[in-house]
Amino acid sequence: MYAYDEIDRTLVNERVSEFRDQVKRRLSGELTEDEFKILRLQNGVYLQLHAYMFRVAIPYGTLASNQLRALAHVARKYDRGFGHFTTRQNIQFNWIKLAELPDALEDLAKVGIHAMQTSGNNMRNVTSDQWAGVAPGEIEDPRIWSELIRQHTTLHPEFSFLPRKFKIAITASDHDRAAIKIHDIGLKLIKNEKGETGFEVLVGGGLGRTPFIGKTIKHFVHGRDILSYIEAILRVYNQYGRRDNIYKARIKILVHELGIEKFSREVEEEWQHIRNSSLQIDDEVIEDIRSRFTYPAYEKLPHMPDELRQAAADTDFEAWRKNSVAPHKVQGYSIVTISLKPIGKPPGDATADQMDALADLADEYSFGEIRVGHEQNLALPHVAKRDLPALWKALDKLGLATPNVNLITDIIACPGLDYCSLANARSIPIAQELTRRFANHELANLIGRLHINISGCINACGHHHVGHIGILGVEKNGEEVYQITIGGRADEGAALGNLIGPGVKFDEVADVIEDVVEAYLALRERPDELFIDTVKRLGVEPFKERVYATR
């Protein structure tokens, strides 16, 4: 966990006080809704279909147990008893009253949580690998650098009034769990031939109306230069990025129109002006941030404790362990992913009671720490293997032991038309129906790793472009129509999915997905060939033929 200092606490508290005054002026009529809009967006507040929606930042996806309890408190006191974890390592509350928002922010500020820059045309929450600091084989904990960038960019003028929203993600592992290639800037921690830490820098990734996979703009930027290099990119974006057309304002459009070669030359020229300035980071600054991350006092534990060996006879426990438990860098410990995708429920939702109970479990089994991933699941990053059976039983009582992580019912979905004013179609009911269709665990295991992503509009909050199967809801002639893509992925081999054919109606979607899955099971060369690999080998045609032969 990171220990915030007095500067951080003062900044957050002052922000709450400032927003309280802004809300007071809006409620009195002194500010119109249009005048208030930019102020509320800078504090993570949207006006949605039914109410104001409040989005809270979870920097690099790391939460302490007391912070999770504070989120549960907000869900219980100011909302309808639940929160929705998003694909951006945020949590959203959908029914909050404007008059109570300052109080909710003040309650969160007491535990160091805020909503600054979770919306608006500025630098958004810096995201990272949810297994950061505990994943075997990573270069180093990427949260150290995420925190550096968070501190530098929070309320920074250069990053606060951009042409459009701007997202940075960081990974330090070969297997990309942070989806860096679909971010405006993606950073991969690497070592050069001298053993120095630096970054491969990618730019221009993003989904939405015009999706792009990010391109490498610099193969190695030394760690001490990363702030100046990011600032050079942002200066070029601020200078050339369009502000006359919201659909063409993202940096991905600028990179595409200029070309990565010209864009990189512009950035390089700008960088040479500032790289040796005060933006160059002293080792002491990095070490100070590094020192503020505390790590558990791990015990010396056996690789295979008796408790785990004995529990292996329980088939239900083994089913959960095989897809929810991942290796840890310290012997005797594991990373446990907690599925927020129970069968028939909205993906990513957690009740206040569940959040409180998870905070208790984090204290008991994970040194008080919880992680939030972009797949809308949570994780306990430091669980002793001997405790896995007891933890599983506790999670099962909470309805949080669904053994479906990375399987077909581990669906990513945006709130869609049930909540969002931008949506054209429903997402949640589609996800609920699909989880019911594929609820049989043996069938899900037979299918293997398969990610379904659903978005209720072209803005792609459900990341449908990079789902192994992507589902996009659109409105056509007053009806909800769903376009199906296959072959997308968000990892180190990131790719955009390809459309398999004409859109289908709401009540046909689950049948179509069943057809696609049945086609895959018939077409794969061997049982361990994953869906995504079958699609890569054969293309969309065999799936298209299967889906549309009788439609």
Side-chain angles (χ1 to χ4, degrees):
M1 292 299 300
Y2 182 79
Y4 288 94
D5 61 16
E6 192 56 35
I7 295 175
D8 284 301
R9 289 189 286 272
T10 300
L11 176 68
V12 171
N13 289 331
E14 287 181 349
R15 194 69 172 176
V16 172
S17 176
E18 182 183 69
F19 189 57
R20 187 179 293 282
D21 179 65
Q22 292 164 352
V23 169
K24 182 181 176 183
R25 287 190 286 150
R26 171 67 190 112
L27 292 173
S28 70
E30 188 178 343
L31 292 175
T32 66
E33 182 57 37
D34 280 348
E35 291 168 333
F36 181 59
K37 181 178 179 180
I38 190 170
L39 304 175
R40 62 173 166 77
L41 287 177
Q42 288 174 344
N43 288 278
V45 182
Y46 286 81
L47 184 54
Q48 292 289 29
L49 275 181
H50 313 291
Y52 284 100
M53 182 271 279
F54 178 41
R55 180 182 292 160
V56 179
I58 301 170
Y60 33 86
T62 299
L63 276 173
S65 57
N66 67 325
Q67 293 176 321
L68 186 57
R69 288 191 188 92
L71 294 173
H73 162 76
V74 168
R76 186 178 290 115
K77 183 173 182 179
Y78 302 106
D79 208 86
R80 294 190 175 180
F82 70 96
H84 174 74
F85 289 95
T86 78
T87 53
R88 287 285 310 155
Q89 294 181 327
N90 295 313
I91 184 170
Q92 295 179 176
F93 300 100
N94 290 301
W95 299 96
I96 206 146
K97 295 180 179 66
L98 180 59
E100 296 180 342
L101 264 167
D103 291 338
L105 271 172
E106 186 171 320
D107 290 348
L108 292 175
K110 293 172 183 171
V111 293
I113 299 181
H114 61 81
M116 285 184 283
Q117 299 185 186
T118 54
S119 56
N121 295 330
N122 50 37
M123 183 75 75
R124 299 292 183 89
N125 186 33
V126 178
T127 58
S128 189
D129 183 349
Q130 70 269 24
W131 295 357
V134 292
E138 68 180 4
I139 298 293
E140 66 176 48
D141 190 340
R143 295 175 301 167
I144 295 162
W145 301 93
S146 305
E147 175 61 22
L148 173 75
I149 296 169
R150 185 198 71 80
Q151 290 183 14
H152 182 69
T153 60
T154 298
L155 303 184
H156 188 306
E158 187 77 38
F159 306 141
S160 296
F161 301 95
L162 298 168
R164 281 286 281 136
K165 59 186 174 183
F166 201 93
K167 304 171 181 177
I168 294 179
I170 306 178
T171 185
S173 296
D174 288 337
H175 179 47
D176 177 12
R177 284 175 290 269
I180 65 169
K181 292 187 177 180
I182 58 169
H183 283 73
D184 297 294
I185 290 179
L187 300 175
K188 182 180 179 183
L189 265 167
I190 54 177
K191 296 277 189 185
N192 66 8
E193 62 279 2
K194 297 177 182 175
E196 297 169 319
T197 300
F199 297 87
E200 178 186 355
V201 181
L202 295 90
V203 69
L207 303 178
R209 187 177 298 268
T210 311
F212 285 106
I213 297 298
K215 301 172 179 64
T216 297
I217 183 173
K218 194 88 170 170
H219 289 283
F220 186 83
V221 175
H222 197 287
R224 64 173 172 261
D225 296 321
I226 193 60
L227 287 186
S228 62
Y229 197 78
I230 289 173
E231 187 140 332
I233 291 174
L234 268 294
R235 286 186 179 194
V236 172
Y237 177 44
N238 257 328
Q239 183 177 358
Y240 293 105
R242 292 183 61 168
R243 295 173 189 266
D244 62 327
N245 185 333
I246 191 174
Y247 302 118
K248 296 185 176 180
R250 295 290 295 272
I251 194 173
K252 62 187 177 183
I253 304 297
L254 178 62
V255 172
H256 175 68
E257 291 185 348
L258 287 182
I260 187 64
E261 293 80 12
K262 179 172 172 50
F263 185 83
S264 63
R265 285 197 300 273
E266 294 280 348
V267 171
E268 191 71 22
E269 184 177 336
E270 185 66 32
W271 187 42
Q272 295 309 319
H273 292 304
I274 61 176
R275 67 176 297 188
N276 295 318
S277 66
S278 59
L279 290 172
Q280 192 173 78
I281 310 161
D282 295 334
D283 290 343
E284 292 76 18
V285 173
I286 297 298
E287 288 310 311
D288 179 61
I289 292 176
R290 197 188 308 276
S291 71
R292 290 179 178 276
F293 278 93
T294 56
Y295 297 91
Y298 296 113
E299 299 176 65
K300 285 189 177 180
L301 297 175
H303 172 67
M304 180 56 74
D306 291 341
E307 293 88 343
L308 191 55
R309 202 187 309 275
Q310 292 162 8
D314 187 323
T315 54
D316 289 339
F317 169 76
E318 274 298 279
W320 172 81
R321 185 191 64 79
K322 285 180 178 175
N323 71 15
S324 298
V325 179
H328 194 284
K329 69 178 184 181
V330 177
Q331 179 179 292
Y333 287 86
S334 295
I335 306 165
V336 174
T337 298
I338 299 165
S339 170
L340 294 183
K341 320 288 178 57
I343 303 302
K345 301 292 184 182
D349 280 7
T351 67
D353 289 346
Q354 286 175 326
M355 286 189 265
D356 273 339
L358 278 173
D360 292 342
L361 292 177
D363 283 338
E364 187 169 1
Y365 296 117
S366 188
F367 297 91
E369 194 171 328
I370 305 101
R371 303 289 180 84
V372 183
H374 77 83
E375 299 96 344
Q376 297 178 289
N377 289 323
L378 303 180
L380 298 179
H382 316 288
V383 180
K385 288 183 177 180
R386 68 184 176 207
D387 294 332
L388 288 171
L391 174 62
W392 168 67
K393 288 178 182 175
L395 290 172
D396 194 37
K397 288 180 182 176
L398 296 171
L400 293 171
T402 308
N404 64 348
V405 175
N406 286 322
L407 298 180
I408 192 168
T409 55
D410 186 6
I411 295 171
I412 292 174
C414 72
L417 198 53
D418 289 285
Y419 294 99
C420 181
S421 60
L422 299 176
N424 306 115
R426 291 166 287 174
S427 301
I428 293 173
I430 296 284
Q432 291 172 305
E433 174 59 19
L434 286 172
T435 61
R436 286 188 283 265
R437 289 283 182 106
F438 294 98
N440 183 292
H441 187 65
E442 288 184 10
L443 173 61
N445 260 332
L446 179 70
I447 296 166
R449 188 179 183 116
L450 200 166
H451 298 163
I452 296 178
N453 293 37
I454 309 172
S455 297
C457 79
I458 197 66
N459 291 301
C461 291
H463 293 180
H464 65 276
H465 294 293
V466 291
H468 296 170
I469 297 176
I471 302 172
L472 167 63
V474 297
E475 185 274 334
K476 189 175 182 180
N477 299 324
E479 274 193 293
E480 295 169 67
V481 175
Y482 293 83
Q483 299 173 350
I484 313 296
T485 55
I486 60 174
R489 58 196 299 173
D491 58 12
E492 62 279 5
L496 303 174
N498 293 301
L499 196 64
I500 64 168
V504 298
K505 295 180 180 177
F506 175 84
D507 56 7
E508 295 177 316
V509 174
D511 291 339
V512 168
I513 301 305
E514 273 195 341
D515 286 348
V516 170
V517 172
E518 286 175 4
Y520 153 65
L521 292 174
L523 291 165
R524 65 184 180 186
E525 285 189 322
R526 54 189 189 281
D528 63 347
E529 184 181 47
L530 299 178
F531 174 83
I532 190 68
D533 295 328
T534 302
V535 174
K536 186 176 182 180
R537 177 170 58 82
L538 296 175
V540 301
E541 283 305 317
F543 298 91
K544 181 177 181 179
E545 289 173 11
R546 174 60 181 263
V547 168
Y548 295 101
T550 57
R551 288 184 172 85

